């Protein structure tokens, strides 16, 4: 397990990445935090999110993201404080897992990764869902869609989260 020391312990660090950091990636961030807390791993794992584009930097989560989270029964743990931010290649050194929303983000992150070790940290979020076919790992951007698009994204993230939790559980045991 790598990562910085936090309060005398080593933290496993994850970042979820999409385009603007207002829809898919913050949804992934909050759902992962919730699941990791439920799994008893929340004190050993830090989860954040970012975008490959700086265009939305400083903006809050898309209101439709918050709405689908509420409809899904998730606890609002400060969603209104989220502000979109741009992913910086300098972050790789402090990260253990970089979860991309789609192959375009994956390619962008692989280009930014300074080392082979950093490139190995990049994974598609949906690759952790055992029910997803290898040719269907992209998560469509719901920003262009309606409430149904946000519901589909929520379902895709929820389906991948247990696999991420198990991956992290194995990593923090090492």
């Amino acid at each position: 397990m790598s990562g910085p020391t936090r309060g005398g312990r080593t933290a496993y660090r994850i970042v979820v990445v999409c385009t603007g950091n207002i829809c898919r990636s913050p949804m992934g961030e909050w759902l992962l935090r919730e699941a990791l807390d439920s799994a008893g791993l929340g004190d050993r794992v830090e989860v954040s999110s970012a975008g490959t584009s700086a265009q939305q930097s400083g903006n809050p989560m898309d209101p439709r993201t918050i709405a689908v989270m509420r409809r899904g029964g998730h606890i609002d743990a400060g969603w209104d404080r989220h502000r979109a931010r741009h992913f910086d290649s300098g972050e790789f050194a402090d990260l253990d897992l970089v979860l991309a929303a789609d192959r375009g983000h994956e390619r962008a992150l692989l280009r930014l990764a300074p080392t082979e070790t950093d490139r190995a940290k990049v994974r598609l979020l949906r690759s952790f869902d055992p029910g997803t076919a290898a040719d269907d790992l992209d998560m469509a951007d719901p920003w262009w869609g309606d409430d149904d698009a946000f519901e589909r994204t929520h379902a895709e993230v929820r389906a991948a989260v247990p696999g991420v939790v198990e991956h992290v559980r194995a990593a923090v045991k090492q």
Side-chain angles (χ1 to χ4, degrees):
M1 177 174 74
S2 63
T5 299
R6 299 278 189 248
R9 63 175 168 73
T10 302
Y12 188 91
R13 295 189 67 198
I14 302 169
V15 64
V16 185
V17 181
C18 69
T19 304
N21 191 217
I22 60 172
C23 301
R24 293 171 287 182
S25 59
M27 191 183 299
E29 173 187 353
W30 293 100
L31 290 177
L32 275 171
R33 283 183 182 173
E34 193 175 88
L36 290 161
D37 284 344
S38 293
L41 297 168
D43 64 335
R44 292 181 276 168
V45 182
E46 294 177 19
V47 184
S48 64
S49 61
T52 56
S53 166
Q55 186 174 9
Q56 295 288 340
S57 289
N59 287 339
M61 258 195 260
D62 188 296
R64 297 168 295 176
T65 301
I66 293 172
V68 77
M69 298 281 282
R70 285 193 176 123
R71 285 192 303 272
H74 304 287
I75 298 167
D76 183 341
W79 299 332
D80 60 329
R81 291 189 309 269
H82 172 83
R83 292 296 174 260
R85 68 180 190 84
H86 182 244
F87 182 84
D88 182 274
S89 64
E91 294 178 55
F92 272 106
D94 291 331
L95 293 168
D96 298 286
L97 184 60
V98 180
L99 297 171
D102 65 35
R103 292 183 197 280
H105 304 121
E106 179 186 42
R107 284 189 299 274
L109 291 162
L110 291 171
R111 281 191 304 272
L112 288 172
T115 68
E116 281 301 319
T117 300
D118 292 327
R119 282 187 276 285
K121 297 174 184 179
V122 178
R123 300 273 305 270
L124 286 164
L125 177 58
R126 291 193 69 206
S127 71
F128 288 94
D129 176 2
T132 301
D135 63 347
D136 192 29
L137 297 177
D138 281 338
M139 189 183 315
D141 191 344
W143 191 83
W144 302 101
D146 56 13
D147 284 346
D148 288 342
F150 280 82
E151 291 290 346
R152 186 177 79 226
T153 297
H154 181 256
E156 290 172 346
V157 172
R158 281 188 48 222
V161 162
V164 176
V165 170
E166 289 312 308
H167 175 84
V168 170
R169 186 185 313 280
V172 297
K173 282 184 180 179
Q174 295 179 0

